[in-house]
Amino acid sequence: MTDITEGSKAPAFDMATADGGRVTLDGLKGRKIVLYFYPKADTPGCTSEGQDFSALIADFDAAGATVIGVSRDPVKKLDRFKTKYDLKVVLASDEPEDVTEAWGVWVEKKLYGREYMGIERATFLIDGAGVVRRVWRKVSVKGHAGEVLAAVESI
């Protein structure tokens, strides 16, 4: 597993997005990036997280940051998810599964005594030079978007 820490160079990414486009690390050079990984579109925690980031999108924009939510869901599912909840963040599909691997968020999880592989809810703040400035692992959704916004505004 890759261990991305504060001060690390951000691993490159190139992903399809819900709006039919693509998002890349190189394409966002000079902007701050909030890259948040969530397990599955249209589930309660992931929906709340997307809504919380969306509610603050104008503040993230004002701070020069692009917010990208990443899951392994297919683009069509992300399209429905984004429309259903009117989400304002970029939703990116890591269906090829290389980005979640590169960022070290594809991990062993346990639920009701069962072990399985899944996405760890994690967020990374990348500065305009492509350096990881903050890392949040095992994220608790409540209050998280506001905490991330404060960090974005401080760099």
Side-chain angles (χ1 to χ4, degrees):
M1 179 175 100
T2 307
D3 189 23
I4 308 296
T5 57
E6 293 173 13
S8 299
K9 183 163 176 30
F13 57 81
D14 180 349
M15 295 176 283
T17 61
D19 56 10
R22 295 201 75 77
V23 65
T24 66
L25 180 63
D26 283 346
L28 294 169
K29 194 165 270 170
R31 276 189 72 77
K32 300 171 197 172
I33 304 167
V34 173
L35 195 64
Y36 78 92
F37 292 88
Y38 63 96
K40 198 169 186 68
D42 212 0
T43 56
C46 300
T47 300
S48 293
E49 189 172 24
Q51 289 172 321
D52 291 351
F53 276 114
S54 292
L56 298 173
I57 202 67
D59 297 316
F60 281 105
D61 284 341
T66 299
V67 180
I68 305 166
V70 180
S71 71
R72 288 187 169 186
D73 294 302
V75 170
K76 283 186 176 182
K77 184 170 185 181
L78 296 180
D79 282 331
R80 289 191 302 270
F81 181 46
K82 188 168 187 161
T83 300
K84 182 176 179 180
Y85 296 102
D86 193 27
L87 300 178
K88 306 296 184 202
V89 299
V90 175
L91 292 182
S93 171
D94 182 35
E95 210 171 5
E97 304 176 357
D98 55 333
V99 176
T100 47
E101 293 280 352
W103 284 82
V105 297
W106 187 246
V107 299
E108 187 174 282
K109 299 172 94 174
K110 292 180 182 168
L111 182 66
Y112 305 120
R114 187 175 69 95
E115 293 183 7
Y116 62 98
M117 295 301 289
I119 293 179
E120 173 188 26
R121 192 180 305 277
T123 303
F124 300 87
L125 172 55
I126 306 158
D127 68 18
V131 175
V132 177
R133 298 291 298 272
R134 287 285 306 270
V135 176
W136 293 265
R137 295 246 181 219
K138 295 184 172 89
V139 167
S140 174
V141 172
K142 188 172 171 59
H144 180 62
E147 183 182 338
V148 173
L149 177 60
V152 166
E153 292 173 336
S154 75
I155 65 166

